[in-house]
């Protein structure tokens, strides 16, 4: 048996705006197609992080590609505890308290 460990490959999303969706099979060569918007005519590809620059350059030279953008989600820090404060993040208000405080009883005759 082979005792190799599973390594998670770092990937990045690439948004490819196209003129026509007829060339979807061609885009499969460049990465994994994650989503296709038929209405807005764009395709979301996932590519290995090492190949992003080379793939962006190749995609921009295709005749059916309007624009190519890369996803900036991996560059964004997703730790928001410092910005909102840890106490504020974990405070939970009971829904019963909110409902009682905002409820006004009105009679049908006065409405």
């Amino acid at each position: 048996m082979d005792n190799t460990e599973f390594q998670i490959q770092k990937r990045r999303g690439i948004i490819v705006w196209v003129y026509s969706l007829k060339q979807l099979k061609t885009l499969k060569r460049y990465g994994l197609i994650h989503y296709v918007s038929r209405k807005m005519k764009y395709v979301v590809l996932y590519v290995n992080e090492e190949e992003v620059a080379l793939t962006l350059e190749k995609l921009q030279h295709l005749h059916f590609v309007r624009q190519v953008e890369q996803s900036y989600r991996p560059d964004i820090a997703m730790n928001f505890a410092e910005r909102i404060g840890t106490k504020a993040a974990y405070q939970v208000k009971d829904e019963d308290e909110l409902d009682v405080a905002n409820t006004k009883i009105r009679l049908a005759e006065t409405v």
Side-chain angles (χ1 to χ4, degrees):
M1 262 179 112
D2 192 14
N3 290 335
T4 58
E5 292 183 23
F6 179 72
Q7 299 276 335
I8 295 178
Q9 190 70 260
K10 290 193 175 187
R11 309 193 100 193
R12 185 175 293 255
I14 296 178
I15 296 91
V16 183
W17 297 87
V18 294
Y19 292 107
S20 172
L21 293 171
K22 292 179 183 178
Q23 293 85 3
L24 277 178
K25 287 185 180 180
T26 308
L27 288 176
K28 286 183 183 179
R29 295 183 200 160
Y30 297 97
L32 177 73
I33 294 180
H34 178 70
Y35 180 75
V36 177
S37 173
R38 299 199 182 279
K39 184 177 181 182
M40 295 180 65
K41 294 184 182 175
Y42 71 89
V43 178
V44 178
L45 291 173
Y46 277 109
V47 180
N48 292 343
E49 190 71 39
E50 305 88 35
E51 302 168 0
V52 170
L54 182 64
T55 307
L56 283 172
E57 190 176 318
K58 286 181 181 178
L59 287 171
Q60 287 173 347
H61 292 295
L62 296 174
H63 71 281
F64 58 88
V65 173
R66 181 179 301 178
Q67 184 180 359
V68 180
E69 301 173 14
Q70 69 177 350
S71 171
Y72 295 104
R73 188 173 188 276
D75 301 333
I76 299 172
M78 298 304 273
N79 186 4
F80 300 111
E82 298 163 358
R83 292 190 178 192
I84 59 175
T86 54
K87 291 182 182 178
Y90 294 111
Q91 285 183 347
V92 178
K93 295 182 180 178
D94 293 332
E95 291 180 13
D96 297 333
E97 293 176 15
L98 295 174
D99 292 339
V100 172
N102 294 332
T103 306
K104 293 182 181 178
I105 300 173
R106 297 185 292 171
L107 298 174
E109 299 165 354
T110 60
V111 175

